[in-house]
Amino acid sequence: QTWSKKRRSKMKIAVIGSGGWGTAIAILLSSRGHNVYLWSWIQEETDRLKKDRENKEFLPGVKFPDTIYCSHDMAECTDGAELIITAAPSPATRTTAKQLSPHVKEGQKIVNISKGLEEGTLLRLSQVCKEEIPQADISVMSGPSHAEEVSRGLPTTNVVASEHIDTAKFIQDVFMGDMFRVYTSTDIIGVELGGALKNIIALCAGISDGLGYGDNTKAALMTRGLAEIARLGKAMGANEKTFMGLSGVGDLIVTCTSMHSRNRRAGILLGQGKSLKETLESVHMVVEGVNTATAAYEMAHKYNVEMPIVEEAYNILYNGRNAREAVLLLMTREKREEK
């Protein structure tokens, strides 16, 4: 009874970041009856969204409901909001959180829906938010959820993780609907790592496709890639079972196999022989796997965890390693038991 009552209650929600995923979540929550304020980092973007009533760059053809308010004014978006959702790309998470912090009251519930790691510090994005907004109650949401499909109301399932199960249940109630199902977790480390690191494996799956390799190759990359993610997660204190769930194997499957995935699309171009610069210019969106590869490579060494696929991805991106040579090196590693 409590859950259904919460579902029907209308609240003000701020979505900070108007890229594809932020916009899709704004559309989803607006369709649930909430008043959603969608913040853009530049006024020109806000003006375009107001005029077009759709995000023509990232989600063309999906019209905004009337209950989405586009704004460049952080104070207007956050004042009185019962929930704040942060959706900035990982390289912009810290600067966005710093800008948001003065507008956040003590105990304000914030859920970060971006996926990635911060280069240099090797922090998870919730840790970055916590540093910049220490007064907030910060959660994360992740899972197999292409913006293109969520914005069109296709059935999707995610997981929300918080240190406080009551907070996770509150966010679950806000998001849950006929076409968007949410599970709860208290394993923030596992949920974030799964969402961040699968982008590197998706990049590798794309490289495999670009090289002309088959389903066998991709299945091997996904399976052994997941083993690497779980090894690092365990070393960092995550629950290994989390990686068998939505933010682990679920997100890995969708990102490695779909052309909606910008990481896979970027990998295909790299596998076809394009340079990293040419690839990023062609994809024309943030490719989180490229940003995360450096952090993951450094974390593997920091925690003394063997991550050969991540290492070869890093070598291809930054050390000029030929992709076919990288595959050969992976295939001819010393024999071992599967675990």
Side-chain angles (χ1 to χ4, degrees):
Q1 189 63 36
T2 306
W3 182 80
S4 61
K5 187 177 179 183
K6 281 184 179 176
R7 277 187 60 186
R8 288 195 298 270
S9 63
K10 181 180 289 191
M11 62 178 70
K12 177 179 178 180
I13 298 174
V15 178
I16 307 302
S18 59
W21 188 213
T23 301
I25 285 298
I27 292 168
L28 170 74
L29 293 173
S30 178
S31 73
R32 301 265 296 113
H34 301 298
N35 292 319
V36 181
Y37 283 70
L38 181 61
W39 179 86
S40 300
W41 73 284
I42 51 173
Q43 185 64 52
E44 290 81 359
E45 174 70 7
T46 293
D47 294 341
R48 277 197 300 273
L49 294 175
K50 280 183 175 178
K51 175 177 173 288
D52 298 334
R53 298 304 294 170
E54 69 176 279
N55 191 327
K56 287 189 172 179
E57 183 176 4
F58 297 120
L59 298 171
V62 183
K63 289 296 182 182
F64 289 178
D66 293 339
T67 47
I68 290 182
Y69 307 90
C70 304
S71 176
H72 176 56
D73 186 337
M74 190 83 81
E76 179 188 25
C77 290
T78 57
D79 184 38
E82 293 182 60
L83 181 64
I84 297 173
I85 297 163
T86 48
S90 61
T93 293
R94 186 173 293 276
T95 53
T96 305
K98 196 186 293 283
Q99 189 175 347
L100 175 62
S101 187
H103 307 285
V104 174
K105 62 182 184 293
E106 189 70 32
Q108 171 72 63
K109 290 179 173 58
I110 295 177
V111 57
N112 182 61
I113 60 172
S114 304
K115 300 171 184 177
L117 300 166
E118 186 175 58
E119 285 190 56
T121 66
L122 308 185
L123 293 176
R124 292 173 285 108
L125 298 186
S126 70
Q127 293 175 302
V128 174
C129 292
K130 200 76 175 171
E131 283 192 351
E132 298 297 337
I133 322 173
Q135 70 274 29
D137 179 2
I138 294 170
S139 306
V140 299
M141 190 172 75
S142 193
S145 46
H146 287 312
E148 295 85 350
E149 297 184 7
V150 171
S151 68
R152 289 173 168 82
L154 301 184
T156 300
T157 309
N158 266 15
V159 56
V160 61
S162 173
E163 292 174 359
H164 313 291
I165 192 63
D166 287 347
T167 299
K169 287 180 178 178
F170 168 81
I171 295 166
Q172 180 186 47
D173 287 335
V174 172
F175 277 91
M176 280 278 282
D178 295 343
M179 291 294 127
F180 199 85
R181 182 173 176 79
V182 181
Y183 290 84
T184 59
S185 170
T186 54
D187 184 15
I188 294 183
I189 297 173
V191 167
E192 280 194 287
L193 282 181
L197 298 178
K198 54 85 188 178
N199 286 323
I200 306 168
I201 309 305
L203 197 69
C204 294
I207 291 172
S208 174
D209 289 336
L211 289 169
Y213 295 151
D215 295 339
N216 295 352
T217 317
K218 190 184 295 184
L221 279 168
M222 290 167 66
T223 308
R224 297 310 303 164
L226 185 63
E228 293 187 18
I229 294 169
R231 277 202 297 270
L232 180 61
K234 184 180 179 182
M236 292 177 66
N239 183 342
E240 282 186 282
K241 288 184 179 178
T242 299
F243 302 107
M244 295 301 109
L246 290 161
S247 65
V249 68
D251 209 358
L252 185 70
I253 289 169
V254 80
T255 315
C256 288
T257 61
S258 173
M259 281 306 288
H260 286 316
S261 166
R262 64 189 73 169
N263 291 282
R264 180 177 171 231
R265 293 203 311 271
I268 290 171
L269 295 173
L270 290 168
Q272 290 171 343
K274 296 276 196 301
S275 69
L276 180 57
K277 182 173 181 292
E278 290 170 328
T279 295
L280 295 177
E281 286 173 354
S282 178
V283 174
H284 191 57
M285 287 188 281
V286 174
V287 180
E288 291 287 6
V290 171
N291 298 324
T292 306
T294 300
Y297 174 82
E298 292 175 4
M299 288 167 82
H301 289 272
K302 177 181 176 180
Y303 290 94
N304 196 28
V305 173
E306 194 174 31
M307 300 184 75
I309 296 172
V310 167
E311 191 154 332
E312 289 307 324
Y314 178 84
N315 285 332
I316 291 169
L317 291 170
Y318 300 111
N319 290 335
R321 174 90 84 208
N322 178 274
R324 288 187 189 278
E325 182 188 352
V327 173
L328 183 62
L329 288 168
L330 287 170
M331 292 296 291
T332 56
R333 293 172 68 242
E334 64 181 71
K335 295 179 288 185
R336 61 194 59 212
E337 180 186 359
E338 184 182 39
K339 57 182 179 179

